Amino acid sequence: PTRAVTLVIADEFTDALVRQGVSVAAYDTRSQAFAQVVSASLDEFRPYGMPVKVIVAQTRLVSVVLRLRFRADVTNPDAVALFARTLVTQTMNSLKAGETFDPTSVENLLKSVSGLDWTGDEVASPVGPIVPTSPYQLLRTSLALVTFDGQATLQRQAANV
């Protein structure tokens, strides 16, 4: 075989459950058990004899703070903010192992959100790209970790009306 395949397994809580102090980090999660089952199964099924390396990835949870401004005709800014937060969550969670999260890519996506007054500085944090520390680190977030500075924004807009 001239090629090899790397199968990366990860879950949302892998990083929190790592056992430190062993020569190779061991993960006490279902991901580790699943990796072992997959490895054992590969002894029997391997396409064209192709080698497959099974790795349990480290998941790094990332917080994102948005600075959203809404157009004056928006009647439900909470729904618009939820849509924007969901877009950010889906974007980060679609990254592959080792891929960098670039806030400017999210800012460009937020242009398409109806009801936002787009200015180009919607991502308050992180201020720059987040680069995984290894090719097997996954950057992930959740809706709870993507917040927005809504109170200050809504107060500022109310003062301008």
Side-chain angles (χ1 to χ4, degrees), residues 7 15 22 25 29 53 70 83 100 114-115 119 122 126 134:
L7 174 64
D15 195 41
V22 291
T29 66
K53 183 177 183 181
F70 305 96
F83 183 78
T100 299
S114 178
T119 61
E122 279 69 25
S134 83

Side-chain angles (χ1 to χ4, degrees), residues 33-82:
F34 183 60
Q36 291 170 353
V37 169
V38 169
S39 292
S41 297
L42 288 173
D43 290 337
E44 186 176 341
F45 303 101
R46 198 165 290 190
Y48 304 108
M50 189 177 294
V52 179
K53 183 177 183 181
V54 181
I55 296 171
V56 177
Q58 176 191 31
T59 302
R60 178 176 168 191
L61 296 176
V62 179
S63 295
V64 178
V65 178
L66 301 176
R67 186 181 303 119
L68 303 177
R69 292 168 192 84
F70 305 96
R71 293 186 5 210
D73 60 346
V74 170
T75 57
N76 191 347
D78 290 333
V80 175
L82 178 61

